[in-house]
Amino acid sequence: MALSGDNHVHLLHAYLDGELDVAPALAIERKMAADPNLRTLAAEIGALKKVLAEKFPPEPLPPRLRSRVEAAIGLETRRRIPSWAMMAASVLVAASVSSTLTAIAVRGTAPHELLVTELVDGHLRSLMAAQPTDVVSSDRHTVKP
């Protein structure tokens, strides 16, 4: 990444704060090695940061503000304890699902498979008969086999 103009001064601040990716950090390090004024500026900024950190230590957030921020971004610090009714309902749902699945597994064949089995059995019975079609009629002249 090429550094141009005043951009390297802004990148120097980001570099000293540890906010740069690898490529821009290497570029600013090369620029500091080549430019003594930039090295001096980096040393001054580092000394200023140290003095400011000593004189003005960071203050912790008030608990109310912290909870409002967490609520705004969706972090929930409290754990919800499920009620007995919810736990009983979950047990009943689990029991009904497991018993239904067990009944399906024990029965072995699904309803659509039973229909196919009945159709195939009926076709095989018709092939085994002496006549392919049996017509029941009392009047032999109207219906002829």
Side-chain angles (χ1 to χ4, degrees), residues 111-130:
H112 70 279
E113 291 177 356
L114 290 175
L115 177 65
V116 170
T117 304
E118 289 177 17
L119 287 172
V120 169
D121 289 345
H123 179 68
L124 290 176
R125 275 194 304 276
S126 73
L127 291 176
M128 293 188 321

Side-chain angles (χ1 to χ4, degrees), residues 96-115:
S96 64
V97 167
S98 65
S99 64
T100 303
L101 292 176
T102 302
I104 290 172
V106 167
R107 190 173 66 208
T109 55
H112 70 279
E113 291 177 356
L114 290 175
L115 177 65

Side-chain angles (χ1 to χ4, degrees), residues 7 10 24 115 130:
N7 192 27
H10 296 295
L115 177 65

